[in-house]
Amino acid sequence: MAVLGSRDQLCIHPHVSKETNNNVKMHRCRAKVESRTCQFYNNFDKSKDKSAQKVANIAEIMQSAGSTILDIEDIANIGSKNKCCPYYLAREMVGEADIVFMPYNYLLDPKARKANNVPLMNTVLIFDEAHNVERLCEEAISVEFSCVDVKSARSTLFDMVKIATDLEVQQSESLELLNGLSSQDIANHANTFERLVKVVEDSKMTEKGESFPGKYIYEFLRKADIDIERGKLLISDFKPITAFLHNKGPIQSSQAIILDKFLHFFKMVFGDFVADNCFAELSPTASQNYKVHIHLDTSSRSHNNLAIVTRKVVGYWCFNPGYSMNDLQKQGAQSIILTSGTLAPLQPIASELGHFQSHLKTLM
């Protein structure tokens, strides 16, 4: 048996564990792992340090702990005791386990599933307390961004142009972290976001907002000259840019978070999270499962907290929870079981989530 937990629960690095922002914590962890500057990960990595094998053998650990089942607290304590990363230790346990416990989003969110290496082929998935699973299915593959977000991303990209230009002049080795991207490449993306700012600002809507079929997202983005080719380029180029920023420290890492948001958005729209790759095939997928909703958000206030700040928000929302559930089936899940004391009536839920062949309920 294995339990997958988050870095919030399992990170024991004295600096990274104190980071309050989850995205920053994740990328600071990854940066330290890649640069081999986390002693806890190095101790875990068998190829780096053979002595780590004493904590990599899960069966021996459980025997020494006097238990056949380890929970999150047990794994964290074992990692601390052996100076071995509990987070990666928990992930290692998955490969040997017959039963794995994890939060819903590790299964339903394609990004989290990929990051945590969750295998689905020939598995039986059991969602306990599944009365919220419809909402979570939709939220896992929905995204929205505000005009403020677009402007922040634009500013970060223009800052990166200056950084890349300086590195080019200095012929710095740090240029390797950008995977061959030039300052001009980054400037082209910054100009794309300059156009996207104008597109969002010029969007017309009523006080209640404006809704469109999902395929409108492609028409919307084309106004900023973002077609499928440009979208794929943004995906490939944002990866080294965000990695570069996260590797530079907490301030730059906070800048990278906004680019991560758009990286996630472009992946959803242009194919990383859907099987199709061409616009003609993507449009029906978007139309059947998504809506584009542009509205005004008045939940923010000015820095002095005296005035309400109104900002335009673009939502790309999934309205078909079955789309997310169907993806689990496509990934090879053998059976999907939902259990809860409050699922009744069953038929509407089964219809929304897909074709569940068997329904069981107790009569009270």
Side-chain angles (χ1 to χ4, degrees):
M1 193 202 83
V3 182
L4 275 177
S6 66
R7 287 178 175 85
D8 275 345
Q9 298 165 308
L10 294 173
C11 179
I12 57 174
H13 191 282
H15 304 304
V16 177
S17 62
K18 293 178 182 177
E19 177 58 58
T20 56
N21 185 290
N22 289 335
N23 275 327
V24 174
K25 180 180 289 184
M26 174 184 70
H27 287 285
R28 288 192 68 188
C29 168
R30 288 180 179 174
K32 287 186 176 295
V33 166
E34 290 173 8
S35 60
R36 312 295 298 187
T37 55
C38 176
Q39 62 165 319
F40 306 102
Y41 176 80
N42 292 345
N43 288 338
F44 160 79
D45 188 353
K46 301 172 195 174
S47 63
K48 171 73 175 180
D49 182 356
K50 296 296 182 183
S51 67
Q53 291 178 1
K54 67 181 180 181
V55 290
N57 188 319
I58 306 305
E60 290 183 8
I61 291 175
M62 290 193 293
Q63 287 176 5
S64 66
S67 172
T68 56
I69 299 176
L70 298 178
D71 60 20
I72 289 291
E73 290 75 16
D74 293 329
I75 297 170
N77 291 335
I78 289 169
S80 296
K81 181 179 178 181
N82 293 277
K83 297 191 183 303
C84 171
C85 177
Y87 176 75
Y88 282 96
L89 179 60
R91 289 176 56 160
E92 179 87 349
M93 294 169 68
V94 172
E96 302 297 325
D98 294 318
I99 301 173
V100 182
F101 290 88
M102 67 189 75
Y104 281 172
N105 66 302
Y106 281 28
L107 284 173
L108 297 173
D109 185 338
K111 183 174 65 170
R113 195 165 64 230
K114 184 176 180 180
N116 287 282
N117 244 350
V118 177
L120 293 181
M121 184 60 66
N122 296 324
T123 56
V124 176
L125 307 179
I126 302 174
F127 291 86
D128 192 22
E129 298 298 332
H131 44 274
N132 289 324
V133 77
E134 293 168 282
R135 175 178 58 81
L136 293 170
C137 280
E138 293 173 343
E139 290 178 355
I141 49 176
S142 298
V143 67
E144 66 178 29
F145 59 86
S146 70
C147 192
V148 174
D149 292 331
V150 184
K151 290 178 180 178
S152 296
R154 176 193 61 185
S155 298
T156 296
L157 288 167
F158 277 122
D159 287 345
M160 273 301 304
V161 172
K162 296 175 185 176
I163 293 172
T165 301
D166 290 342
L167 293 176
E168 289 167 351
V169 171
Q170 299 164 12
Q171 296 184 333
S172 170
E173 293 182 357
S174 296
L175 277 171
E176 294 179 7
L177 297 173
L178 290 174
N179 283 5
L181 282 178
S182 68
S183 56
Q184 185 57 54
D185 293 329
I186 301 171
N188 291 339
H189 295 322
N191 291 329
T192 295
F193 271 74
E194 185 81 67
R195 294 190 294 272
L196 187 56
V197 168
K198 185 170 180 3
V199 171
V200 176
E201 287 181 336
D202 291 349
S203 298
K204 293 180 173 58
M205 70 191 76
T206 65
E207 288 185 4
K208 294 182 179 179
E210 207 70 43
S211 292
F212 305 88
K215 66 180 179 180
Y216 175 73
I217 197 67
Y218 301 103
E219 180 182 337
F220 180 85
L221 291 173
R222 279 202 302 271
K223 294 176 183 178
D225 295 331
I226 303 175
D227 55 12
I228 189 166
E229 184 178 348
R230 170 63 64 177
K232 295 287 188 181
L233 187 61
L234 285 163
I235 291 170
S236 64
D237 288 356
F238 271 27
K239 290 176 181 177
I241 292 173
T242 54
F244 178 90
L245 288 169
H246 282 301
N247 199 44
K248 288 297 178 182
I251 296 177
Q252 291 85 351
S253 195
S254 63
Q255 289 181 302
I257 289 173
I258 192 64
L259 296 187
D260 280 324
K261 183 173 191 173
F262 283 98
L263 175 59
H264 179 58
F265 168 68
F266 290 131
K267 282 180 177 181
M268 292 184 67
V269 172
F270 291 112
D272 243 37
F273 295 164
V274 291
D276 311 307
N277 284 318
C278 70
F279 171 73
E281 293 174 339
L282 282 167
S283 291
T285 299
S287 295
Q288 294 164 12
N289 302 294
Y290 283 86
K291 295 282 187 187
V292 177
H293 186 68
I294 304 173
H295 62 283
L296 293 175
D297 176 22
T298 57
S299 60
S300 300
R301 290 185 172 271
S302 61
H303 68 279
N304 58 14
N305 211 34
L306 296 177
I308 293 176
V309 177
T310 301
R311 56 182 186 174
K312 287 184 178 177
V313 176
V314 179
Y316 186 56
W317 296 340
C318 179
F319 281 90
N320 179 9
Y323 184 49
S324 181
M325 198 63 67
N326 188 48
D327 185 50
L328 297 180
Q329 291 179 305
K330 286 182 178 179
Q331 298 298 321
Q334 183 176 325
S335 299
I336 301 174
I337 301 171
L338 308 183
T339 70
S340 176
T342 54
L343 279 178
L346 293 178
Q347 191 55 50
I349 295 173
S351 298
E352 284 208 353
L353 292 177
H355 301 289
F356 283 81
Q357 296 177 352
S358 302
H359 301 174
L360 277 173
K361 59 183 178 181
T362 35
L363 299 175
M364 302 298 289

